[in-house]
């Protein structure tokens, strides 16, 4: 709700002048250089659409895209994508958008825990002389075999590699039916994965990660309108066998959502 209020305030400012004058607000991401991490929905080689959501941001906002997304990848691939960005561009870019997680659900990666919790001695002083006291102590779980552990590993690495950069998380979108071949058949999100988890747990974990790692999140699952679980939304899907990947119309819808959500976020933190 806070993000929507900020967008409404910006829109109100744009139209607050008299009818004879127009206010011009430049989008904060206009002309920036943005790295995109993710999976097949972002991968330019995926055949689900001719143009991806980031292509439209490039057209509308003049964003220069550095795309590292690879079809089929999961959160454990994000450190590799970050390293590739670092190798090719160093710090010579403005922001990172991360859109991944749906393949972790399909692969039945356990959700896991955000933290490992112990009881440790720590020096403290609150209205008394300092002393060593026992307190519960948490550190992020770095378990590469769990979903939350993978997110922690990736976000810690990105925070260390790019401490001054804006990083934005995007939640996975809704999952429709997918038939690739006899060995790759994926039911809709109306079914759990092999370990009995709903896709919701993977979406919610991305939103929780935003608070844990102090980064903004765009909830595409809720805001972009892509809902392939009803037949009428086939107009946004690749085809009847592939209702997992958006087509061009689906990518346009996603791109418009991201563009307006980014209005409320700084792309850089330069003075």
């Amino acid at each position: 709700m806070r993000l929507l209020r900020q967008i409404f305030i910006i829109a109100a400012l744009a139209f607050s002048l008299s009818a004879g004058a127009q206010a011009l607000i430049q989008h904060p991401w206009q002309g920036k250089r943005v790295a995109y991490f993710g999976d097949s929905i972002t991968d330019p080689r995926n055949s689900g659409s001719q143009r991806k959501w980031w292509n439209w941001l490039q057209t509308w906002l003049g964003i220069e895209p550095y795309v590292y997304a690879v079809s089929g990848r999961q959160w454990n691939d994000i450190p590799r994508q970050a390293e590739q960005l670092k190798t090719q561009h160093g710090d010579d870019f403005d922001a990172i958008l991360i859109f991944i997680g749906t393949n972790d659900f399909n692969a039945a990666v356990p959700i896991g825990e955000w933290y490992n919790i112990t009881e440790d001695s720590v020096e403290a002083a609150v209205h008394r002389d300092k002393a060593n006291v026992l307190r519960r102590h948490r550190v992020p779980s770095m378990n590469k075999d769990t979903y939350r552990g993978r997110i922690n590993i990736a976000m810690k690495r990105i925070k260390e590699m790019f401490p001054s950069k804006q990083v934005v998380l995007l939640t996975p979108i809704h999952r429709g039916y997918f038939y690739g071949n006899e060995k790759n058949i994926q039911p809709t999100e109306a079914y759990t994965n092999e370990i009995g988890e709903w896709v919701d747990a993977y979406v919610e974990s991305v939103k929780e990660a935003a608070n844990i790692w102090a980064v903004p999140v765009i909830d595409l699952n809720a805001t972009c309108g892509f809902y392939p679980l009803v037949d009428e939304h086939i107009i946004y899907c690749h085809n009847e066998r592939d209702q997992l990947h958006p087509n061009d119309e689906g990518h346009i819808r996603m791109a418009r959502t991201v563009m307006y959500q980014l209005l409320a976020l700084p792309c850089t933190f330069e003075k």
Side-chain angles (χ1 to χ4, degrees):
M1 290 301 294
R2 180 183 299 175
L3 186 59
L4 288 176
R5 285 198 297 270
Q6 291 173 322
I7 293 172
F8 289 149
I9 291 171
I10 293 172
L13 288 173
F15 294 101
S16 63
L17 299 184
S18 65
Q22 293 183 353
L24 178 63
I25 293 180
Q26 180 169 313
H27 196 289
W29 293 63
Q30 183 77 39
K32 302 299 186 182
R33 300 156 301 172
V34 178
Y36 298 91
F37 299 165
D39 50 36
S40 58
I41 298 179
T42 304
D43 188 343
R45 294 159 293 192
N46 180 267
S47 62
S49 62
Q50 294 297 312
R51 305 187 73 197
K52 308 306 178 198
W53 59 280
W54 53 265
N55 286 124
W56 292 104
L57 296 180
Q58 182 181 20
T59 298
W60 298 333
L61 298 177
I63 289 176
E64 183 176 353
Y66 304 150
V67 183
Y68 297 96
V70 179
S71 293
R73 297 304 171 91
Q74 304 168 21
W75 260 100
N76 59 358
D77 192 55
I78 294 301
R80 185 200 62 81
Q81 295 182 32
E83 292 286 353
Q84 195 172 4
L85 170 64
K86 188 72 171 180
T87 298
Q88 294 183 356
H89 296 284
D91 290 325
D92 194 21
F93 69 95
D94 297 302
I96 299 171
L97 268 58
I98 305 175
F99 181 25
I100 201 166
T102 194
N103 292 315
D104 296 82
F105 164 78
N106 186 56
V109 176
I111 295 296
E113 302 295 334
W114 286 119
Y115 298 103
N116 295 324
I117 299 176
T118 58
E119 188 173 44
D120 297 329
S121 176
V122 64
E123 188 176 77
V126 181
H127 305 301
R128 62 182 182 185
D129 293 338
K130 68 179 181 180
N132 287 324
V133 296
L134 284 177
R135 291 190 181 178
R136 296 179 73 201
H137 178 211
R138 67 183 187 183
V139 295
S141 169
M142 298 295 167
N143 186 343
K144 63 181 178 57
D145 295 321
T146 70
Y147 187 61
R148 290 173 175 171
R150 290 176 171 189
I151 294 175
N152 282 339
I153 291 169
M155 294 307 299
K156 181 176 185 292
R157 188 72 186 111
I158 288 171
K159 286 284 189 178
E160 291 170 344
M161 293 173 68
F162 309 113
S164 66
K165 302 299 182 181
Q166 174 69 284
V167 179
V168 182
L169 303 182
L170 281 63
T171 65
I173 56 176
H174 286 274
R175 291 180 56 91
Y177 172 76
F178 178 80
Y179 179 94
N181 53 55
E182 287 298 315
K183 294 184 178 180
N184 187 10
I185 303 173
Q186 301 179 30
T188 75
E189 67 177 48
Y191 298 88
T192 64
N193 60 16
E194 291 182 1
I195 57 172
E197 289 283 3
W198 302 103
V199 71
D200 310 47
Y202 297 81
V203 173
E204 289 301 316
S205 290
V206 174
K207 292 193 280 187
E208 291 171 8
N211 279 309
I212 290 170
W213 289 101
V215 294
V217 62
I218 296 176
D219 188 358
L220 275 187
N221 189 266
T223 59
C224 79
F226 180 73
Y227 193 71
L229 277 75
V230 297
D231 292 340
E232 289 76 7
H233 270 236
I234 191 71
I235 62 173
Y236 294 116
C237 302
H238 182 205
N239 54 42
E240 290 187 358
R241 284 191 164 194
D242 181 3
Q243 299 175 37
L244 181 65
H245 298 98
N247 60 14
D248 286 302
E249 291 302 316
H251 275 275
I252 289 174
R253 186 159 184 162
M254 290 166 52
R256 288 197 185 280
T257 301
V258 173
M259 180 177 68
Y260 281 96
Q261 295 284 311
L262 291 178
L263 263 173
L265 298 174
C267 184
T268 67
F269 299 96
E270 299 173 355
K271 294 181 180 179

